[in-house]
Amino acid sequence: MAGKWTDERTEQLKKLWAGGLSASQIAAELGGITRNAVIAKAARLGLSPDRLIPRPVYPPRKRRPLTPPILNSLVENSLIQRRPEPPPVVPTLKPAAIEPMIRKGKITLPNQSVKSDLDERTIQAALRALRQQVKELADDLAHAANADHSQNIDKRVVSFLQNLSNRIPTRRPTQEALFLLGHEQETLETYAATVNEEWPPLLSGRYLSVTRAFDRTLRQFPKWRLFKRNAGNDRLTTEQRERAPELAAEFSFALGEKEAQEQIDHKLPETIDALRGRLSYGITNPDQQMTDSDEITEGSNALAEDLITSIDNIVKLIADIALAGARALVEAGVGSSKLVKDAASAFWKTARPSIIDSAGAAGKTVGPKLVLWCKRILVGATTIGVAKVAGLSAVIARLIVAFPDTFGWVTPILRFLQLF
């Protein structure tokens, strides 16, 4: 019967629908049924309508990329609003003599004592015992040398041990003091071969006992153990080892310049100089008396690694602060250099403590002036070869080239900061 949906017509509709025929074609096949009736029946039967309205496929739209100069120009003129990409991440600080922090608006050294595996009373007792052991050995060696009991005892070693005993603290030291003391272990161990060959057995045995006691005591400080493990893995090349003192001297000098003194505590360049002084090339004059900055033998790779890692930690904190200023602009949705100062000032009034994560410093202690200085230093490092740049910016650029494995992380951050 025309126009009626019998069971036979319904089954035929399903088959024709599944076969891909259009509603008009199905109506013609069934006869006496309109196209709209076919669509309505298919809807009641729950047949999918997707094939009747195919979705158009459009090719991806190609946009001409904007170069940073064009982008900056457009943002400056408020023609577009564009949020910069999330900033690169600054690696965390590594254990080294210098792990800087922010205090009273300056980059400085932590003033708290380092943690040890022993409780306060036990570690103090261990340090006092070590100090006494080194002093007694130095006194006995001096007596033997003066009494000509042994002509093979180097008076420089006596002087070294006397100075070392005076430098051993009687309580837990700060980190930079611990690391400066720890590097004396390389001197002790290096000279041990000569001691075994040339000293009387009793004195050589005591010397080796002091060396082992020195090592045991230092190993009670987790930071020192971790540093030694890292230094053993991250070996510098001979060329890098030779360049370390030179670039460290330049870095230290730049930190002491007048403009930097407003942002950098004098303790940082002083500690760098103390580390650098240990990287001497040995005493060639047999009559020369040893001083605190002299080495019996050439400086070790671990000491050079500490020097470079300490400098890297300072650069990391500078980058962290510079990126914090950039994050303020990201949150504000602006990229105009005209707004840098205002945005940074507003941001740091309520800065989040987590901004300087790697240093563990509270964000509220960082002022806008320090933010802008750090940013200017890093941006200046990108213009080497284009403009005459001196000071800290130039040294950072040379460190990136000389120690790519250590300072390679700086490059993407420099590119990012150029957008602001």
Side-chain angles (χ1 to χ4, degrees):
M1 184 183 296
K4 298 291 185 179
W5 285 104
T6 63
D7 292 343
E8 183 181 356
R9 279 175 178 262
T10 300
E11 290 301 319
Q12 193 174 2
L13 165 65
K14 293 178 181 179
K15 292 179 181 180
L16 295 174
W17 188 277
L21 273 66
S22 67
S24 298
Q25 291 172 330
I26 294 174
E29 283 287 331
L30 296 178
I33 300 294
T34 64
R35 173 180 176 277
N36 289 340
V38 170
I39 294 174
K41 183 62 174 177
R44 290 194 296 274
L45 293 173
L47 303 179
S48 173
D50 289 351
R51 63 183 182 80
L52 297 179
I53 311 175
R55 295 179 179 178
V57 179
Y58 299 104
R61 183 179 178 183
K62 295 183 179 180
R63 296 184 178 181
R64 182 180 178 183
L66 295 174
T67 61
I70 296 176
L71 177 61
N72 287 341
S73 175
L74 291 175
V75 175
E76 286 284 352
N77 292 283
S78 301
L79 296 179
I80 63 172
Q81 290 292 325
R82 181 181 184 274
R83 283 182 177 272
E85 294 297 322
V89 176
V90 179
T92 56
L93 305 187
K94 287 187 176 182
I98 298 177
E99 291 187 44
M101 61 174 293
I102 308 297
R103 186 167 59 245
K104 297 181 179 180
K106 276 191 173 186
I107 300 177
T108 186
L109 291 170
N111 55 10
Q112 69 269 22
S113 302
V114 289
K115 295 180 180 179
S116 69
D117 295 335
L118 306 175
D119 61 75
E120 188 65 30
R121 178 177 296 181
T122 306
I123 194 63
Q124 286 182 16
L127 288 168
R128 285 195 297 269
L130 177 62
R131 182 184 180 115
Q132 184 63 26
Q133 193 174 358
V134 174
K135 183 179 183 304
E136 289 177 355
L137 175 60
D139 291 343
D140 290 346
L141 289 175
H143 175 74
N146 292 333
D148 291 330
H149 292 170
S150 176
Q151 297 179 354
N152 294 327
I153 295 177
D154 193 332
K155 291 184 178 180
R156 296 171 303 167
V157 180
V158 177
S159 178
F160 166 72
L161 290 173
Q162 288 172 339
N163 289 327
L164 179 59
S165 67
N166 292 330
R167 292 173 53 198
I168 296 175
T170 56
R171 61 182 58 195
R172 285 188 300 128
T174 59
Q175 183 149 321
E176 70 275 13
L178 170 68
F179 275 64
L180 287 169
L181 179 66
H183 288 297
E184 303 295 3
Q185 184 178 347
E186 279 87 43
T187 303
L188 288 169
E189 293 175 348
T190 302
Y191 202 69
T194 301
V195 168
N196 282 333
E197 293 177 2
E198 301 181 2
W199 286 19
L202 180 61
L203 292 177
S204 64
R206 289 182 59 190
Y207 182 91
L208 296 178
S209 176
V210 165
T211 302
R212 288 192 291 268
F214 198 91
D215 178 63
R216 285 195 304 270
T217 305
L218 289 177
R219 286 184 178 277
Q220 302 306 316
F221 297 94
K223 281 282 188 180
W224 178 252
R225 293 199 305 267
L226 185 56
F227 164 76
K228 293 282 283 186
R229 186 159 60 247
N230 290 344
N233 296 330
D234 303 331
R235 304 292 290 180
L236 301 177
T237 65
T238 301
E239 181 181 359
Q240 289 174 331
R241 158 67 182 77
E242 292 173 351
R243 289 212 65 188
E246 169 198 347
L247 289 174
E250 294 181 14
F251 191 82
S252 174
F253 180 81
L255 291 183
E257 290 182 333
K258 184 176 180 180
E259 183 184 17
Q261 288 177 355
E262 299 179 8
Q263 320 298 336
I264 302 290
D265 192 318
H266 65 89
K267 294 179 181 178
L268 267 73
E270 288 175 359
T271 303
I272 292 173
D273 287 336
L275 285 169
R276 182 174 57 85
R278 300 279 291 112
L279 275 175
S280 63
Y281 286 90
I283 299 175
T284 57
N285 181 355
D287 297 326
Q288 180 180 353
Q289 290 295 312
M290 173 167 282
T291 64
D292 288 345
S293 62
D294 288 327
E295 283 259 299
I296 298 174
T297 58
E298 184 178 350
S300 70
N301 198 84
L303 179 56
E305 178 70 26
D306 190 9
L307 182 62
I308 295 304
T309 303
S310 292
I311 293 174
D312 181 53
N313 283 343
I314 296 173
V315 178
K316 283 175 180 175
L317 187 52
I318 291 174
D320 237 340
I321 297 169
L323 283 178
R327 290 183 189 119
L329 299 181
V330 171
E331 292 184 355
V334 298
S336 170
S337 60
K338 180 182 177 182
L339 298 177
V340 170
K341 186 173 182 179
D342 293 341
S345 297
F347 178 79
W348 286 110
K349 286 181 180 178
T350 55
R352 296 167 297 183
S354 61
I355 283 297
I356 314 298
D357 288 331
S358 62
K364 64 183 180 181
T365 66
V366 184
K369 191 173 182 180
L370 180 58
V371 173
L372 296 175
W373 179 81
C374 291
K375 176 178 175 293
R376 185 166 65 253
I377 291 299
L378 290 187
V379 171
T382 67
T383 60
I384 299 296
V386 179
K388 292 183 178 180
V389 178
L392 194 55
S393 296
V395 182
I396 291 175
R398 285 195 286 274
L399 286 166
I400 295 171
V401 174
F403 301 91
D405 291 341
T406 302
F407 293 91
W409 62 268
V410 185
T411 303
I413 291 175
L414 298 183
R415 287 198 297 265
F416 176 80
L417 290 175
Q418 281 183 304
L419 297 175
F420 295 89

